[in-house]
Coordinates of all heavy atoms in Angstrom, one line a residue:
M1050 N -113.4 -48.3 -134.2 CA -113.5 -47.0 -134.8 C -112.0 -46.5 -135.1 O -111.1 -46.8 -134.4 CB -114.2 -46.0 -133.9 CG -115.6 -46.3 -133.7 SD -116.6 -46.1 -135.2 CE -116.8 -44.3 -135.2
I1051 N -111.9 -45.8 -136.2 CA -110.6 -45.3 -136.6 C -110.8 -43.9 -137.1 O -111.7 -43.6 -137.8 CB -110.0 -46.2 -137.7 CG1 -108.6 -45.8 -138.0 CG2 -110.8 -46.3 -138.9 CD1 -107.8 -46.8 -138.8
K1052 N -109.9 -43.0 -136.7 CA -110.0 -41.6 -137.1 C -109.0 -41.3 -138.1 O -107.8 -41.7 -138.0 CB -109.7 -40.7 -135.8 CG -110.0 -39.2 -136.2 CD -110.1 -38.4 -134.9 CE -108.7 -38.1 -134.4 NZ -108.8 -37.0 -133.3
Y1053 N -109.4 -40.7 -139.2 CA -108.6 -40.3 -140.3 C -108.6 -38.8 -140.4 O -109.6 -38.1 -140.2 CB -109.0 -40.9 -141.6 CG -108.7 -42.3 -141.7 CD1 -109.7 -43.3 -142.1 CD2 -107.4 -42.8 -141.5 CE1 -109.4 -44.6 -142.2 CE2 -107.1 -44.1 -141.7 CZ -108.1 -45.0 -142.0 OH -107.8 -46.4 -142.2
T1054 N -107.4 -38.3 -140.8 CA -107.3 -36.9 -141.2 C -107.5 -36.9 -142.7 O -106.8 -37.5 -143.4 CB -105.9 -36.3 -140.8 OG1 -105.8 -36.4 -139.4 CG2 -105.9 -34.8 -141.2
L1055 N -108.5 -36.1 -143.1 CA -108.9 -36.1 -144.5 C -108.7 -34.7 -145.1 O -108.6 -33.7 -144.4 CB -110.4 -36.5 -144.6 CG -110.8 -37.8 -143.9 CD1 -112.3 -37.9 -144.0 CD2 -110.1 -39.0 -144.5
Q1056 N -108.6 -34.7 -146.5 CA -108.4 -33.5 -147.2 C -109.2 -33.5 -148.4 O -109.2 -34.5 -149.2 CB -106.9 -33.3 -147.5 CG -106.6 -31.9 -148.1 CD -105.1 -31.7 -148.2 OE1 -104.3 -32.7 -148.5 NE2 -104.6 -30.5 -148.1
C1057 N -109.9 -32.4 -148.7 CA -110.6 -32.3 -149.9 C -109.7 -31.8 -151.0 O -108.6 -31.4 -150.8 CB -111.9 -31.4 -149.8 SG -111.5 -29.7 -149.9
N1058 N -110.3 -31.8 -152.3 CA -109.5 -31.4 -153.4 C -109.2 -29.9 -153.4 O -108.5 -29.3 -154.2 CB -110.1 -31.8 -154.7 CG -111.5 -31.2 -154.9 OD1 -112.1 -30.8 -154.0 ND2 -111.9 -31.1 -156.2
D1059 N -109.8 -29.2 -152.4 CA -109.6 -27.8 -152.3 C -108.6 -27.4 -151.2 O -108.4 -26.3 -150.9 CB -111.0 -27.1 -152.1 CG -111.1 -25.7 -152.8 OD1 -110.2 -25.5 -153.7 OD2 -112.0 -24.9 -152.5
G1060 N -108.1 -28.5 -150.6 CA -107.1 -28.3 -149.6 C -107.6 -28.2 -148.1 O -106.8 -27.9 -147.2
H1061 N -108.9 -28.3 -147.9 CA -109.4 -28.2 -146.6 C -109.2 -29.5 -145.8 O -109.4 -30.6 -146.3 CB -111.0 -28.0 -146.6 CG -111.3 -26.7 -147.3 ND1 -112.3 -26.7 -148.3 CD2 -110.8 -25.5 -147.3 CE1 -112.4 -25.5 -148.8 NE2 -111.5 -24.7 -148.2
V1062 N -108.6 -29.4 -144.7 CA -108.3 -30.6 -143.9 C -109.3 -30.7 -142.7 O -109.6 -29.7 -142.1 CB -106.8 -30.5 -143.3 CG1 -106.5 -31.6 -142.4 CG2 -105.8 -30.4 -144.5
F1063 N -109.7 -31.9 -142.5 CA -110.7 -32.2 -141.4 C -110.5 -33.6 -141.0 O -109.8 -34.4 -141.6 CB -112.1 -31.9 -141.8 CG -112.6 -32.6 -143.0 CD1 -113.4 -33.8 -142.9 CD2 -112.2 -32.2 -144.3 CE1 -113.8 -34.5 -144.0 CE2 -112.7 -33.0 -145.4 CZ -113.5 -34.1 -145.2
E1064 N -111.1 -33.9 -139.8 CA -111.0 -35.3 -139.3 C -112.4 -35.9 -139.2 O -113.4 -35.2 -139.0 CB -110.3 -35.2 -137.9 CG -108.9 -34.8 -137.9 CD -108.3 -34.7 -136.5 OE1 -109.1 -34.6 -135.6 OE2 -107.1 -34.8 -136.4
D1065 N -112.4 -37.2 -139.4 CA -113.6 -38.0 -139.3 C -113.4 -39.4 -138.8 O -112.3 -39.9 -138.9 CB -114.4 -38.0 -140.6 CG -115.9 -38.0 -140.5 OD1 -116.3 -38.3 -139.3 OD2 -116.6 -37.7 -141.4
W1066 N -114.4 -39.9 -138.2 CA -114.3 -41.3 -137.6 C -114.9 -42.3 -138.6 O -116.0 -42.0 -139.2 CB -115.0 -41.4 -136.3 CG -114.3 -40.7 -135.2 CD1 -114.4 -39.4 -134.8 CD2 -113.3 -41.3 -134.3 NE1 -113.6 -39.1 -133.7 CE2 -112.9 -40.3 -133.4 CE3 -112.7 -42.5 -134.3 CZ2 -111.9 -40.5 -132.5 CZ3 -111.7 -42.7 -133.3 CH2 -111.3 -41.7 -132.4
F1067 N -114.3 -43.4 -138.7 CA -114.9 -44.5 -139.5 C -114.8 -45.8 -138.8 O -114.0 -46.0 -137.9 CB -114.1 -44.6 -140.8 CG -114.1 -43.3 -141.6 CD1 -113.1 -42.4 -141.5 CD2 -115.2 -43.1 -142.5 CE1 -113.2 -41.2 -142.2 CE2 -115.2 -41.9 -143.2 CZ -114.2 -40.9 -143.1
A1068 N -115.8 -46.7 -139.2 CA -115.8 -48.0 -138.5 C -114.6 -48.8 -138.8 O -114.1 -49.6 -138.0 CB -117.1 -48.7 -139.0
S1069 N -114.0 -48.6 -140.0 CA -112.8 -49.3 -140.4 C -112.2 -48.6 -141.6 O -112.8 -47.7 -142.2 CB -113.1 -50.8 -140.7 OG -113.9 -50.8 -141.9
S1070 N -111.0 -49.0 -141.9 CA -110.3 -48.4 -143.0 C -111.1 -48.7 -144.3 O -111.1 -47.9 -145.2 CB -108.9 -48.9 -143.1 OG -108.8 -50.3 -143.3
S1071 N -111.6 -49.9 -144.4 CA -112.3 -50.3 -145.6 C -113.6 -49.5 -145.8 O -114.1 -49.3 -146.8 CB -112.6 -51.8 -145.6 OG -113.4 -52.2 -144.5
K1072 N -114.2 -49.1 -144.6 CA -115.4 -48.3 -144.6 C -115.1 -46.9 -145.2 O -115.9 -46.4 -146.0 CB -116.0 -48.1 -143.2 CG -117.3 -47.5 -143.2 CD -118.4 -48.4 -143.8 CE -119.8 -47.8 -143.7 NZ -120.8 -48.6 -144.4
F1073 N -114.0 -46.4 -144.9 CA -113.6 -45.1 -145.5 C -113.5 -45.3 -147.0 O -114.0 -44.5 -147.8 CB -112.2 -44.6 -145.0 CG -111.6 -43.6 -145.8 CD1 -112.1 -42.2 -145.7 CD2 -110.7 -43.8 -146.8 CE1 -111.6 -41.2 -146.5 CE2 -110.2 -42.8 -147.6 CZ -110.6 -41.5 -147.4
D1074 N -112.8 -46.4 -147.5 CA -112.7 -46.6 -148.9 C -114.0 -46.7 -149.6 O -114.2 -46.2 -150.7 CB -111.9 -47.9 -149.2 CG -110.4 -47.8 -148.7 OD1 -109.9 -46.6 -148.6 OD2 -109.8 -48.8 -148.3
E1075 N -114.9 -47.4 -148.9 CA -116.3 -47.6 -149.5 C -117.0 -46.2 -149.6 O -117.5 -45.9 -150.7 CB -117.1 -48.5 -148.6 CG -118.5 -48.8 -149.1 CD -119.3 -49.6 -148.0 OE1 -118.7 -50.4 -147.4 OE2 -120.5 -49.3 -147.9
L1076 N -117.0 -45.4 -148.6 CA -117.7 -44.1 -148.6 C -117.0 -43.2 -149.6 O -117.7 -42.5 -150.3 CB -117.6 -43.5 -147.2 CG -118.5 -44.3 -146.1 CD1 -118.2 -43.7 -144.7 CD2 -120.0 -44.2 -146.5
S1077 N -115.7 -43.2 -149.6 CA -115.0 -42.4 -150.5 C -115.3 -42.7 -152.0 O -115.5 -41.8 -152.8 CB -113.5 -42.5 -150.3 OG -112.7 -41.7 -151.2
A1078 N -115.3 -44.0 -152.3 CA -115.6 -44.5 -153.6 C -117.0 -44.1 -154.1 O -117.2 -43.8 -155.2 CB -115.4 -46.0 -153.7
N1079 N -117.9 -44.1 -153.1 CA -119.3 -43.7 -153.4 C -119.6 -42.2 -153.3 O -120.7 -41.8 -153.4 CB -120.2 -44.5 -152.5 CG -120.2 -46.0 -152.8 OD1 -119.9 -46.4 -153.9 ND2 -120.5 -46.8 -151.8
H1080 N -118.5 -41.5 -153.1 CA -118.6 -40.0 -152.9 C -119.7 -39.7 -151.8 O -120.5 -38.8 -152.0 CB -119.0 -39.3 -154.2 CG -118.0 -39.5 -155.3 ND1 -116.9 -38.7 -155.3 CD2 -117.8 -40.4 -156.3 CE1 -116.1 -39.0 -156.3 NE2 -116.6 -40.1 -157.0
E1081 N -119.6 -40.4 -150.8 CA -120.5 -40.2 -149.6 C -119.8 -39.4 -148.6 O -120.4 -39.1 -147.5 CB -121.0 -41.5 -149.1 CG -122.0 -42.2 -150.0 CD -122.5 -43.5 -149.4 OE1 -122.7 -43.6 -148.2 OE2 -122.7 -44.5 -150.2
L1082 N -118.6 -39.0 -148.8 CA -117.9 -38.1 -147.9 C -117.9 -36.7 -148.5 O -117.8 -36.5 -149.7 CB -116.5 -38.6 -147.7 CG -116.3 -40.0 -147.2 CD1 -114.8 -40.4 -147.2 CD2 -116.8 -40.1 -145.8
S1083 N -118.1 -35.7 -147.6 CA -118.0 -34.4 -148.2 C -117.3 -33.5 -147.2 O -117.3 -33.6 -146.0 CB -119.5 -33.8 -148.4 OG -120.2 -33.8 -147.2
C1084 N -116.6 -32.5 -147.8 CA -115.9 -31.5 -147.0 C -116.8 -30.6 -146.2 O -117.8 -30.1 -146.8 CB -115.0 -30.7 -147.9 SG -114.2 -29.3 -147.1
P1085 N -116.6 -30.5 -144.9 CA -117.5 -29.6 -144.1 C -117.4 -28.2 -144.5 O -118.3 -27.4 -144.1 CB -117.1 -29.9 -142.7 CG -115.7 -30.4 -142.8 CD -115.6 -31.1 -144.1
Q1086 N -116.4 -27.8 -145.2 CA -116.2 -26.4 -145.5 C -116.7 -26.0 -146.9 O -117.2 -24.9 -147.1 CB -114.7 -26.0 -145.4 CG -114.2 -26.1 -144.0 CD -112.7 -25.6 -143.9 OE1 -112.4 -24.5 -144.2 NE2 -111.8 -26.5 -143.4
C1087 N -116.5 -26.9 -147.9 CA -116.9 -26.5 -149.2 C -117.8 -27.5 -149.8 O -118.4 -27.3 -150.9 CB -115.7 -26.3 -150.1 SG -114.8 -27.8 -150.5
G1088 N -118.0 -28.7 -149.2 CA -119.0 -29.7 -149.7 C -118.4 -30.5 -150.8 O -119.1 -31.4 -151.3
S1089 N -117.1 -30.4 -151.1 CA -116.5 -31.2 -152.1 C -116.6 -32.7 -151.7 O -116.4 -33.0 -150.5 CB -115.1 -30.8 -152.3 OG -114.4 -31.8 -153.1
T1090 N -116.8 -33.6 -152.6 CA -116.8 -35.0 -152.4 C -115.5 -35.7 -152.8 O -115.4 -36.9 -152.8 CB -118.0 -35.7 -153.0 OG1 -118.0 -35.4 -154.4 CG2 -119.3 -35.2 -152.4
E1091 N -114.6 -34.8 -153.3 CA -113.3 -35.4 -153.6 C -112.4 -35.4 -152.4 O -111.6 -34.5 -152.1 CB -112.6 -34.5 -154.8 CG -113.4 -34.6 -156.1 CD -113.4 -35.9 -156.7 OE1 -112.4 -36.6 -156.6 OE2 -114.5 -36.4 -157.2
I1092 N -112.5 -36.5 -151.6 CA -111.9 -36.5 -150.3 C -110.8 -37.6 -150.4 O -111.0 -38.7 -150.8 CB -112.9 -36.9 -149.2 CG1 -114.1 -35.9 -149.2 CG2 -112.2 -36.9 -147.8 CD1 -113.7 -34.5 -149.0
T1093 N -109.6 -37.2 -149.8 CA -108.5 -38.2 -149.8 C -108.0 -38.3 -148.3 O -108.2 -37.3 -147.6 CB -107.4 -37.8 -150.7 OG1 -107.0 -36.5 -150.4 CG2 -107.8 -37.8 -152.1
K1094 N -107.5 -39.4 -148.0 CA -106.9 -39.6 -146.7 C -105.5 -39.0 -146.7 O -104.8 -39.2 -147.7 CB -106.8 -41.1 -146.5 CG -107.0 -41.6 -145.1 CD -107.3 -43.1 -145.0 CE -106.8 -43.9 -146.1 NZ -107.0 -45.4 -145.8
T1095 N -105.2 -38.3 -145.7 CA -103.8 -37.7 -145.7 C -102.9 -38.7 -145.0 O -103.3 -39.5 -144.1 CB -103.8 -36.3 -144.9 OG1 -104.2 -36.6 -143.6 CG2 -104.8 -35.3 -145.6
I1096 N -101.7 -38.6 -145.3 CA -100.7 -39.4 -144.7 C -100.5 -38.9 -143.3 O -100.2 -37.7 -143.1 CB -99.4 -39.4 -145.5 CG1 -99.6 -39.8 -146.9 CG2 -98.3 -40.3 -144.8 CD1 -100.1 -41.2 -147.0
M1097 N -100.6 -39.7 -142.3 CA -100.4 -39.3 -140.9 C -99.0 -39.2 -140.6 O -98.3 -40.2 -140.3 CB -101.1 -40.3 -140.0 CG -102.6 -40.4 -140.2 SD -103.4 -38.8 -139.7 CE -103.4 -38.9 -137.9
A1098 N -98.5 -38.0 -140.8 CA -97.0 -37.8 -140.6 C -96.8 -37.7 -139.1 O -97.5 -37.0 -138.4 CB -96.6 -36.6 -141.3
P1099 N -95.7 -38.3 -138.6 CA -95.4 -38.1 -137.2 C -94.9 -36.7 -137.0 O -94.4 -36.0 -137.9 CB -94.3 -39.1 -137.0 CG -93.7 -39.4 -138.3 CD -94.8 -39.2 -139.3
N1100 N -95.1 -36.3 -135.8 CA -94.7 -34.9 -135.4 C -93.1 -34.9 -135.3 O -92.6 -35.2 -134.2 CB -95.3 -34.4 -134.1 CG -96.7 -34.0 -134.3 OD1 -97.1 -33.5 -135.4 ND2 -97.6 -34.2 -133.3
V1101 N -92.5 -34.5 -136.4 CA -91.1 -34.4 -136.4 C -90.7 -32.9 -136.5 O -91.0 -32.3 -137.5 CB -90.4 -35.2 -137.5 CG1 -88.9 -35.0 -137.5 CG2 -90.8 -36.6 -137.4
A1102 N -90.1 -32.4 -135.4 CA -89.7 -31.0 -135.5 C -88.5 -30.9 -136.3 O -87.5 -31.6 -136.1 CB -89.4 -30.5 -134.1
S1103 N -88.5 -30.0 -137.3 CA -87.4 -29.9 -138.2 C -86.2 -29.2 -137.4 O -86.5 -28.2 -136.6 CB -87.7 -29.0 -139.4 OG -88.3 -27.8 -139.0
A1104 N -85.1 -29.6 -137.6 CA -83.9 -29.0 -136.9 C -83.7 -27.6 -137.3 O -83.9 -27.2 -138.5 CB -82.7 -29.8 -137.2
P1105 N -83.4 -26.8 -136.4 CA -83.1 -25.4 -136.8 C -82.1 -25.2 -137.8 O -81.0 -25.9 -137.7 CB -82.7 -24.7 -135.5 CG -82.4 -25.8 -134.6 CD -83.2 -27.0 -135.0
A1106 N -82.4 -24.5 -138.9 CA -81.4 -24.4 -140.0 C -80.4 -23.3 -139.8 O -79.4 -23.3 -140.4 CB -82.2 -24.1 -141.3
A1107 N -80.7 -22.4 -138.8 CA -79.7 -21.3 -138.6 C -78.4 -21.8 -138.0 O -78.4 -22.6 -137.1 CB -80.3 -20.3 -137.7
A1108 N -77.3 -21.5 -138.7 CA -76.0 -21.8 -138.2 C -75.6 -20.9 -137.1 O -76.1 -19.8 -137.0 CB -75.0 -21.7 -139.4
P1109 N -74.8 -21.4 -136.2 CA -74.4 -20.5 -135.1 C -73.6 -19.3 -135.7 O -72.9 -19.4 -136.7 CB -73.5 -21.4 -134.3 CG -73.1 -22.5 -135.1 CD -74.3 -22.7 -136.1
A1110 N -73.7 -18.2 -135.0 CA -73.1 -17.0 -135.5 C -71.6 -17.2 -135.5 O -71.0 -17.7 -134.6 CB -73.4 -15.8 -134.6
P1111 N -70.9 -16.8 -136.6 CA -69.5 -17.0 -136.7 C -68.8 -16.2 -135.6 O -69.0 -15.0 -135.4 CB -69.1 -16.5 -138.1 CG -70.2 -15.6 -138.5 CD -71.5 -16.1 -137.8
S1112 N -67.9 -16.8 -134.9 CA -67.2 -16.1 -133.9 C -65.8 -15.8 -134.4 O -65.1 -16.7 -135.0 CB -67.1 -17.0 -132.6 OG -66.4 -18.2 -132.9
C1113 N -65.4 -14.6 -134.2 CA -64.0 -14.2 -134.6 C -63.0 -14.5 -133.6 O -62.7 -13.7 -132.7 CB -64.0 -12.7 -135.0 SG -62.5 -12.2 -135.7
A1114 N -62.5 -15.7 -133.6 CA -61.6 -16.2 -132.6 C -60.2 -16.0 -133.1 O -59.2 -16.2 -132.3 CB -61.9 -17.6 -132.1
A1115 N -60.1 -15.7 -134.4 CA -58.7 -15.6 -135.0 C -58.2 -14.2 -134.7 O -58.3 -13.3 -135.5 CB -58.8 -15.8 -136.5
A1116 N -57.6 -14.0 -133.5 CA -57.1 -12.7 -133.1 C -56.0 -12.3 -134.1 O -55.0 -13.0 -134.3 CB -56.5 -12.8 -131.7
G1117 N -56.2 -11.1 -134.6 CA -55.1 -10.6 -135.5 C -55.2 -11.2 -136.9 O -54.6 -10.7 -137.8
G1118 N -56.0 -12.2 -137.1 CA -56.0 -12.9 -138.4 C -57.2 -12.6 -139.2 O -57.4 -13.1 -140.2
C1119 N -58.1 -11.8 -138.6 CA -59.4 -11.5 -139.3 C -59.2 -10.4 -140.3 O -58.7 -9.3 -140.0 CB -60.4 -11.1 -138.2 SG -62.1 -10.9 -138.9
S1120 N -59.7 -10.6 -141.5 CA -59.6 -9.6 -142.5 C -60.9 -8.9 -142.8 O -61.0 -8.1 -143.7 CB -59.1 -10.3 -143.8 OG -60.1 -11.3 -144.2
N1121 N -61.9 -9.2 -142.0 CA -63.2 -8.6 -142.1 C -63.2 -7.2 -141.5 O -62.9 -7.0 -140.3 CB -64.3 -9.4 -141.4 CG -65.7 -8.8 -141.5 OD1 -65.8 -7.8 -142.2 ND2 -66.7 -9.5 -141.0
M1122 N -63.3 -6.1 -142.3 CA -63.2 -4.7 -141.8 C -64.3 -4.4 -140.8 O -64.2 -3.5 -140.0 CB -63.3 -3.7 -143.0 CG -62.2 -3.8 -143.9 SD -60.6 -3.6 -143.1 CE -60.7 -1.8 -142.6
G1123 N -65.4 -5.2 -140.8 CA -66.5 -4.9 -139.9 C -66.4 -5.7 -138.6 O -67.2 -5.6 -137.7
C1124 N -65.3 -6.5 -138.5 CA -65.2 -7.4 -137.4 C -64.8 -6.6 -136.1 O -63.9 -5.7 -136.2 CB -64.1 -8.4 -137.6 SG -63.8 -9.5 -136.3
P1125 N -65.5 -6.8 -135.0 CA -65.2 -6.1 -133.8 C -63.8 -6.3 -133.3 O -63.2 -5.4 -132.7 CB -66.2 -6.7 -132.8 CG -67.2 -7.4 -133.6 CD -66.6 -7.8 -134.9
A1126 N -63.1 -7.3 -133.7 CA -61.8 -7.6 -133.3 C -60.8 -6.6 -134.0 O -59.7 -6.4 -133.6 CB -61.4 -9.0 -133.6
M1127 N -61.3 -5.9 -135.1 CA -60.4 -5.0 -135.9 C -60.6 -3.6 -135.3 O -59.8 -2.7 -135.8 CB -60.8 -5.0 -137.3 CG -60.6 -6.4 -138.0 SD -58.9 -6.8 -138.2 CE -58.4 -5.8 -139.5
Q1128 N -61.5 -3.4 -134.4 CA -61.8 -2.0 -134.0 C -60.8 -1.5 -133.0 O -60.6 -0.3 -132.9 CB -63.2 -1.9 -133.3 CG -64.3 -2.4 -134.2 CD -64.5 -1.6 -135.5 OE1 -64.4 -0.4 -135.5 NE2 -64.6 -2.3 -136.6
G1129 N -60.1 -2.3 -132.4 CA -59.1 -1.8 -131.4 C -57.7 -2.2 -131.8 O -56.8 -1.9 -131.1
Ligands
ZN64 ZN1 -113.1 -28.4 -149.0

């Protein structure tokens, strides 16, 4: 038995078990698969993507370590 994550042409994602990968192809070709949410028979196998956590995009807050050299008027280093 093999479990596939499937998606209909309406974007509904669901999972189903098949005896083999060729069995899925057979059922799909014969439109014997249907979406449990909308009944669509346009079912495709989704690519099983590994769980890769995307790296945080936020850059670290700029630190004003340039004492006396900061030209930013809003910089806390300019307040005193
Ligand atoms: Zn659907």
Side-chain angles (χ1 to χ4, degrees):
M1050 294 292 282
I1051 186 168
K1052 186 167 79 170
Y1053 283 128
T1054 301
L1055 308 174
Q1056 187 173 33
C1057 82
N1058 62 337
D1059 218 14
H1061 303 131
V1062 176
F1063 57 100
E1064 294 179 337
D1065 211 345
W1066 287 92
F1067 300 93
S1069 65
S1070 61
S1071 59
K1072 189 65 177 176
F1073 165 82
D1074 293 336
E1075 179 187 324
L1076 292 172
S1077 177
N1079 292 334
H1080 295 279
E1081 292 180 34
L1082 300 174
S1083 61
C1084 172
Q1086 292 185 58
C1087 70
S1089 169
T1090 56
E1091 296 295 321
I1092 307 299
T1093 55
K1094 217 166 19 179
T1095 64
I1096 304 297
M1097 295 295 284
N1100 281 330
V1101 178
S1103 56
S1112 61
C1113 186
C1119 184
S1120 60
N1121 181 0
M1122 293 304 291
C1124 178
M1127 298 291 285
Q1128 302 299 315

